[in-house]
């Protein structure tokens, strides 16, 4: 059961900070703003959340790694909001206390495609956001967003445009020629081995595997390059030790390189 205990190390780091958090010591490490954005011809709106972190602090990407805390947006109190699709900018890989985390420092702008329930009405973007912030310690942090998106200017916001451009390349844009996945049972769960054939993305490449199956623990991928192919291996364990199934079309493989990142959606049997 040793591997299954790895995520607990990150939780211990967070738990040690709870007393200080209760005293408000970490209340000012992050500032959140909503960027109004603009309307698209199809009725959707592009807006963004801008997070500004205090010096030395960072926060986490959607797949934060073993030492990170995954972000969560609760949109249940929003108004005239049918759907939200987040476009995450390319994150950085960090090492802390022997564990890897993936996220952002200084400032990050997170664009969102918002689908209104009624096109003729403004969207009230109201959310409770739970994230992790980390410096010497990692602590859970929660803040609220409340903004009415009714600015009439249809012109794109330069800061949001830049953040959209900073998203990982798609498989087609990056010249991915093949993406295969093989599955093997293990004593505790299942192992997934992904092979992605693509040009080198620069420097040390790190692959992140997401399965699309809620609740699974997924180990840090062991990433190597074999010629023109990145090989990434992760183990998956269900939290209650039960059986689970994976759909290869839901597997998402992000390759973070020194020059650029690539987002591969789905894989075939390998």
């Amino acid at each position: 059961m040793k591997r299954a205990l790895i995520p607990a190390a990150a939780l211990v780091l967070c738990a040690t900070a709870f007393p200080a958090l209760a005293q408000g010591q970490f209340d000012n490490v992050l500032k959140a703003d909503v960027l109004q954005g603009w309307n698209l011809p199809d009725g959707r709106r592009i807006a963004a959340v801008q997070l500004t972190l205090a010096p030395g602090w960072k926060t986490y990407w959607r797949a934060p790694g073993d030492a990170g805390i995954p972000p969560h947006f609760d949109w249940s109190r929003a108004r005239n909001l049918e759907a939200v699709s987040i476009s995450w900018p390319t994150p950085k890989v960090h090492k802390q206390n022997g564990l890897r985390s993936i996220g952002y420092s200084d400032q990050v702008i997170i664009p969102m495609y918002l689908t209104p329930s009624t096109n003729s009405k403004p969207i009230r973007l109201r959310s409770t956001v739970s994230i992790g912030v980390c410096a010497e310690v990692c602590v859970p942090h929660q803040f609220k967003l409340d903004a009415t998106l009714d600015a009439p200017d249809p012109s794109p916001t330069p800061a949001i445009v830049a953040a959209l451009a900073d998203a990982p390349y798609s498989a087609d844009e990056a010249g991915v020629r093949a993406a295969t996945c093989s599955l093997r049972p293990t004593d505790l769960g299942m192992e997934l081995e992904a092979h992605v054939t693509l040009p080198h993305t620069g420097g040390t490449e790190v692959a992140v595997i997401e399965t699309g199956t809620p609740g699974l623990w997924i180990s840090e991928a062991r990433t190597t390059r074999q010629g023109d192919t990145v090989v990434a291996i992760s183990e998956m364990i269900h939290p209650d030790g039960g059986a689970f199934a994976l759909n290869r079309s839901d597997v998402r493989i992000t390759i973070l390189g020194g020059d650029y990142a690539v987002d591969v959606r789905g894989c075939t049997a390998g």
Side-chain angles (χ1 to χ4, degrees):
M1 297 294 292
K2 185 176 181 180
R3 291 186 184 177
L5 294 176
I6 291 177
L11 296 178
V12 168
L13 289 175
C14 297
T16 60
F18 281 161
L21 182 64
Q23 297 167 16
Q25 181 178 343
F26 303 109
D27 287 350
N28 298 316
V29 300
L30 180 144
K31 180 176 180 290
D33 298 288
V34 174
L35 305 184
Q36 283 267 337
W38 67 98
N39 291 325
L40 296 173
D42 62 6
R44 293 181 301 163
R45 188 179 186 95
I46 295 182
V49 176
Q50 177 177 284
L51 302 180
T52 304
L53 294 139
W57 288 82
K58 61 180 180 288
T59 191
Y60 298 103
W61 186 50
R62 65 165 192 268
D66 283 338
I69 300 170
H72 175 71
F73 292 79
D74 178 3
W75 303 108
S76 60
R77 298 179 66 245
R79 295 293 180 265
N80 194 36
L81 184 61
E82 182 71 23
V84 179
S85 177
I86 295 177
S87 176
W88 292 94
T90 298
K92 300 294 185 183
V93 178
H94 306 277
K95 287 284 189 179
Q96 180 179 5
N97 299 313
L99 297 173
R100 186 179 76 186
S101 65
I102 301 171
Y104 311 97
S105 57
D106 300 325
Q107 185 181 88
V108 59
I109 293 172
I110 305 171
M112 302 174 293
Y113 290 85
L114 309 174
T115 303
S117 303
T118 304
N119 287 349
S120 60
K121 295 182 179 180
I123 294 171
R124 185 171 179 183
L125 193 68
R126 188 162 54 175
S127 176
T128 299
V129 185
S130 301
I131 63 173
V133 290
C134 202
E136 295 301 320
V137 294
C138 299
V139 298
H141 188 79
Q142 190 175 88
F143 61 89
K144 295 184 184 298
L145 300 173
D146 193 347
T148 299
L149 306 182
D150 55 0
D153 187 357
S155 302
T157 306
I160 300 178
V161 172
L164 289 168
D166 192 33
Y169 291 138
S170 69
D172 287 342
E173 290 170 335
V176 173
R177 299 194 298 277
T180 63
C181 295
S182 59
L183 300 171
R184 291 183 293 274
T186 66
D187 291 341
L188 300 176
M190 191 178 298
E191 184 180 81
L192 185 150
E193 180 172 329
H195 289 234
V196 182
T197 302
L198 79 167
H200 204 293
T201 59
T204 299
E205 295 172 305
V206 171
V208 181
I209 297 175
E210 299 168 83
T211 65
T213 303
L216 287 185
W217 174 74
I218 306 173
S219 72
E220 177 180 307
R222 305 190 302 275
T223 308
T224 58
R225 176 171 278 274
Q226 300 176 4
D228 60 356
T229 299
V230 169
V231 178
I233 302 173
S234 283
E235 185 174 0
M236 294 153 290
I237 301 171
H238 196 281
D240 64 9
F244 58 90
L246 290 180
N247 186 337
R248 285 183 174 85
S249 63
D250 292 335
V251 171
R252 190 171 187 176
I253 306 160
T254 306
I255 298 170
L256 304 171
D259 296 331
Y260 59 92
V262 182
D263 184 8
V264 180
R265 309 286 188 98
C267 56
T268 59

